[in-house]
Amino acid sequence: MSVTIHPSAIVDEGAQIGEGSRVWHFVHICGGAKIGKGVSLGQNVFVGNKVIIGDHCKVQNNVSVYDNVTLEEGVFCGPSMVFTNVYNPRSLIERKSEYRNTLVKQGATLGANCTIVCGVTVGEYAFVGAGAVVNKDVPAYALMVGVPAKQIGWMSEFGEQLALPLQGEGETTCTHTGARYVLSAQGVTKT
């Protein structure tokens, strides 16, 4: 298995790209980027120097993954979603020393046209709806929508909404996989 790189893509010297990854039209990967195995980078994707993209991530068309963003394994970035890395940018004031780290944990989905404001952590298997603006940490398995993003439910690892209240206690089973999910004061866990 090898890496597929479209002839129109630019991959700077030093970039690390794992086996089985696919780099499509007009992608630019900077030299310091670390990209895992089986990753798909859609048309017109930019990947900065200080970026880590885990195995089996899918980054759809027109996404820029800027410095200080880390995507763990299996993250989905929908078309034209946005990351930032400076909280209060100004063109006339350089703030590269103020970049804030953004972490998107394993299996999370970031819907089309959503924005992830720098400095947040998106929990495992969280689901950010299309067009949402995330400006604070997102719990594992949370379903987030709106501007600013608010939690409206919980999602399974399969990608279906769970029949659980937002708060309190409860448990349910995913009808597709049979996995059991438990809600407690600490959030949702899969057992």
Side-chain angles (χ1 to χ4, degrees):
M1 190 177 282
S2 62
V3 176
T4 302
I5 300 175
H6 190 272
S8 66
I10 299 170
V11 179
D12 293 344
E13 186 175 338
Q16 298 174 30
I17 304 173
E19 285 291 312
S21 290
R22 297 177 313 277
V23 179
W24 295 108
H25 305 71
F26 313 115
V27 170
H28 181 189
I29 302 171
C30 293
K34 295 177 181 159
I35 299 169
K37 298 175 187 172
V39 171
S40 177
L41 301 178
Q43 182 175 308
N44 199 38
V45 166
F46 170 80
V47 180
N49 278 302
K50 298 176 184 173
V51 169
I52 298 171
I53 297 178
D55 295 346
H56 309 292
C57 289
K58 292 183 180 177
V59 182
Q60 300 295 314
N61 296 355
N62 305 312
V63 174
S64 292
V65 187
Y66 294 119
D67 285 353
N68 293 51
V69 173
T70 298
L71 308 179
E72 290 185 351
E73 180 181 7
V75 170
F76 177 88
C77 297
S80 301
M81 63 80 47
V82 175
F83 290 105
T84 69
N85 60 8
V86 175
Y87 190 75
N88 56 341
R90 290 285 198 199
S91 183
L92 299 174
I93 300 170
E94 186 170 311
R95 292 197 160 123
K96 291 182 180 181
S97 65
E98 298 177 23
Y99 285 173
R100 294 186 182 183
N101 296 332
T102 299
L103 173 61
V104 183
K105 292 193 172 183
Q106 179 176 337
T109 292
L110 309 176
N113 290 305
C114 75
T115 299
I116 308 299
V117 177
C118 58
V120 302
T121 296
V122 177
E124 294 91 344
Y125 299 98
F127 197 104
V128 177
V133 177
V134 173
N135 61 0
K136 62 184 178 179
D137 289 350
V138 174
Y141 301 102
L143 172 58
M144 308 291 290
V145 299
V147 179
K150 293 188 179 4
Q151 185 178 358
I152 62 164
W154 301 99
M155 296 290 278
S156 71
E157 290 182 14
F158 189 79
E160 298 288 335
Q161 191 166 356
L162 294 168
L164 290 170
L166 279 179
Q167 297 177 341
E169 295 182 358
E171 63 180 73
T172 191
T173 302
C174 176
T175 58
H176 297 280
T177 66
R180 189 169 150 257
Y181 293 87
V182 177
L183 173 64
S184 68
Q186 288 74 44
V188 168
T189 55
K190 186 177 104 170
T191 60

Coordinates of all heavy atoms in Angstrom, one line a residue, residues 4 81 85-86 121 124 128:
T4 N -1.2 8.1 -2.2 CA -1.7 8.6 -3.4 C -1.6 10.1 -3.3 O -2.3 10.7 -2.4 CB -3.1 8.1 -3.8 OG1 -3.1 6.7 -3.8 CG2 -3.6 8.7 -5.1
M81 N -15.4 23.4 6.8 CA -15.3 23.7 8.3 C -14.0 24.5 8.5 O -13.1 24.5 7.7 CB -15.5 22.5 9.2 CG -14.5 21.4 9.1 SD -12.9 21.7 10.1 CE -13.5 22.3 11.6
N85 N -6.4 29.6 15.1 CA -5.3 29.3 16.0 C -4.9 30.6 16.8 O -4.1 30.5 17.7 CB -4.1 28.7 15.4 CG -3.5 29.5 14.3 OD1 -3.8 30.6 14.1 ND2 -2.5 28.9 13.6
V86 N -5.5 31.7 16.5 CA -5.3 33.0 17.2 C -6.7 33.4 17.7 O -7.6 33.6 16.9 CB -4.6 34.1 16.4 CG1 -4.5 35.4 17.2 CG2 -3.2 33.6 16.0
T121 N -11.1 21.7 23.4 CA -11.0 20.3 23.2 C -12.4 19.8 22.8 O -13.3 20.1 23.5 CB -10.4 19.6 24.4 OG1 -9.1 20.1 24.7 CG2 -10.4 18.1 24.3
E124 N -14.2 12.7 22.6 CA -14.3 11.5 21.8 C -15.7 11.4 21.3 O -16.7 11.5 22.0 CB -13.9 10.3 22.6 CG -12.5 10.2 23.1 CD -12.2 10.8 24.4 OE1 -13.1 11.6 24.9 OE2 -11.2 10.6 25.0
V128 N -20.4 17.7 16.1 CA -20.7 19.1 16.0 C -21.5 19.3 14.7 O -21.0 19.0 13.6 CB -19.4 19.9 15.9 CG1 -19.7 21.4 15.7 CG2 -18.6 19.7 17.2

